[in-house]
Structure formats: C-alpha cells, structure tokens
Amino acid sequence: MIKPYTAFFIPAGCPHEYYSTDESWDTHWIKPSGKSCPDMLKALGFDKPKIFPLSKEEITYLDHCFRCMHEALLSDKVDGNFRASGYLYSFFIELSRLAAKGKGSVQIAPAVTKAIAYIDENYMKQPGLESISKAAGVSSQHLCRLFRQTLNCRPMEYITKRKIQAAKMLLAETQKTVDQIAEETGFCDSSYFCKIFKRFESITPSQFRSIEQAL
C-alpha cells in the first residue's frame, strides 16, 4: 500500500495497475519523453520500478517543479516546452538528491551520498573539489567518475546547479533582491549570478521572478 507523500516511478513499457482504497487520493503524474530522457533516467538510477517515501516538507519543491511544468506548457506555446524541460530536469535532480540522503530507493555509491550531503551543507561557500573528495573519502578523480555515472555531471557543476536551485526558490518565495540572493547562494557578485542563472535557465533571475509571480 502506498502511503501519502510517496513518489513512485514506473519505467516505460512496464505493466502496472493501481487504484485508490478510498476517495482521498490526490495524484500528480509525469510522463517524460524525448531522445535524451532514457539516458538521463538511467544515469539517475531510474531504470526499475521504485517507490520513494518523502516527508511533506521534502515534497514541496517537487510539487513546485510540477506546478511550474504544468503552467509553462499551458501558458506559453512558443517556448513553454523548453521551460518545462528545465523544470523536469530540476524535478529529477531533486528526487535523486532526496534518494541519495537515504529517503528513497535509488542505489547510489556511498561516496556520492557523502559528497552530496557535504555540498548541501556548504554549497554557499563554494567548496573545492579537494574538500568534497575528502568528505566523500575518495580521490578527486574517482569522485568525478562516480558523479558522471550517477548524476551525469561533475561535482563542481552539481554545486552550481544546487546554488541555482536554491536561488530559484528564493526568487519564487521571497522578496529578497537579486543582490541578496546572489550573496546568500554563494555567488561572488550579482552580475556573475545573473550570467550563470541565464546560462542554466535561459532567462534572467528577474524574468524568472516575474514568471513565478504571474502564475
């Protein structure tokens, strides 16, 4: 029996059936597709049916990504698909991060789990690869290999994505200035923050905030 605040993953082509035991279900579902999708899912460990028990607090950002995907597809016929793809990527990165903390069932190397925990606590300080590797208990070269196999990115790129993720939440949920958010998320200045944000999100932090406020 699947309890409230639970995510479950069913691979394409896998026979399945589920039903509610009462009338209180509220289910959100995503059916990702695209040429790169199978490789991304496999790299994150989503190659078999999985169940991910989450707390109410942990599911908040996942629900935020889901809502943003839905709104992007409905509100913008020009580039809505591209924006929704970005939110989908953030969704799976967050789900794999929660799984790495031991909340889910994705099997991730212990060194990656330790590295992610260390990054989550220190990303705003821009930790170096050497300190991350030391916290993970492996060499820098081996850690980079594990990150590529598990998350399809290098540790330093993961740090940047983690910082962008935190910045997006602050932009959407607070009235803090771009300068304040840049400082709180560990960017050297707001100009560099805006440059990196646009590289990953294809829009500026201010544009992202405007879109979020309009939803």
Side-chain angles (χ1 to χ4, degrees):
M1 179 180 293
I2 296 177
K3 298 180 179 180
Y5 305 114
T6 299
F8 58 95
F9 172 76
I10 303 171
C14 179
H16 62 278
E17 180 180 5
Y18 59 89
Y19 56 89
S20 172
T21 57
D22 54 42
E23 297 182 358
S24 62
W25 272 40
D26 182 11
T27 306
H28 293 173
W29 58 271
I30 300 171
K31 184 181 178 182
S33 63
K35 185 171 66 174
S36 300
C37 190
D39 290 337
M40 181 193 74
L41 293 174
K42 184 177 180 179
L44 293 173
F46 299 105
D47 55 349
K48 298 177 182 179
K50 307 283 185 180
I51 296 177
F52 305 89
L54 305 170
S55 70
K56 183 177 181 179
E57 292 74 21
E58 288 172 334
I59 210 167
T60 298
Y61 184 72
L62 296 175
D63 188 61
H64 169 76
C65 290
F66 180 90
R67 179 173 58 85
C68 288
M69 278 188 280
H70 183 69
E71 294 294 340
L73 292 171
L74 290 179
S75 64
D76 194 332
K77 297 183 181 298
V78 178
D79 65 350
N81 285 337
F82 294 103
R83 286 175 46 217
S85 295
Y87 288 123
L88 178 63
Y89 185 74
S90 296
F91 180 93
F92 278 111
I93 286 292
E94 176 68 1
L95 187 58
S96 66
R97 185 183 73 83
L98 293 173
K101 291 171 60 179
K103 296 294 185 179
S105 56
V106 174
Q107 298 299 314
I108 296 179
V112 175
T113 301
K114 293 177 182 178
I116 290 176
Y118 182 81
I119 290 172
D120 283 342
E121 294 179 4
N122 299 280
Y123 67 86
M124 71 293 296
K125 302 175 184 177
Q126 191 60 39
L129 181 58
E130 185 176 347
S131 64
I132 300 171
S133 302
K134 184 177 180 180
V138 295
S139 69
S140 298
Q141 183 178 10
H142 185 54
L143 184 65
C144 288
R145 187 183 304 114
L146 290 173
F147 260 71
R148 285 196 298 270
Q149 292 173 349
T150 306
L151 299 174
N152 200 29
C153 67
R154 293 177 178 272
M156 305 313 291
E157 183 182 356
Y158 180 86
I159 291 175
T160 302
K161 291 177 179 178
R162 183 68 182 87
K163 290 161 70 173
I164 292 295
Q165 181 191 83
K168 287 166 66 175
M169 294 187 70
L170 290 172
L171 287 165
E173 299 175 5
T174 75
Q175 297 302 314
K176 293 180 178 180
T177 67
V178 171
D179 286 344
Q180 290 174 319
I181 292 174
E183 182 178 358
E184 287 190 24
T185 51
F187 288 93
C188 57
D189 57 58
S190 59
S191 177
Y192 180 68
F193 165 57
C194 292
K195 177 181 178 180
I196 298 300
F197 191 96
K198 188 170 184 179
R199 180 188 301 172
F200 277 84
E201 300 297 322
S202 300
I203 55 176
T204 67
S206 297
Q207 289 171 329
F208 176 85
R209 172 169 275 170
S210 296
I211 292 170
E212 288 296 305
Q213 291 177 344
L215 293 179

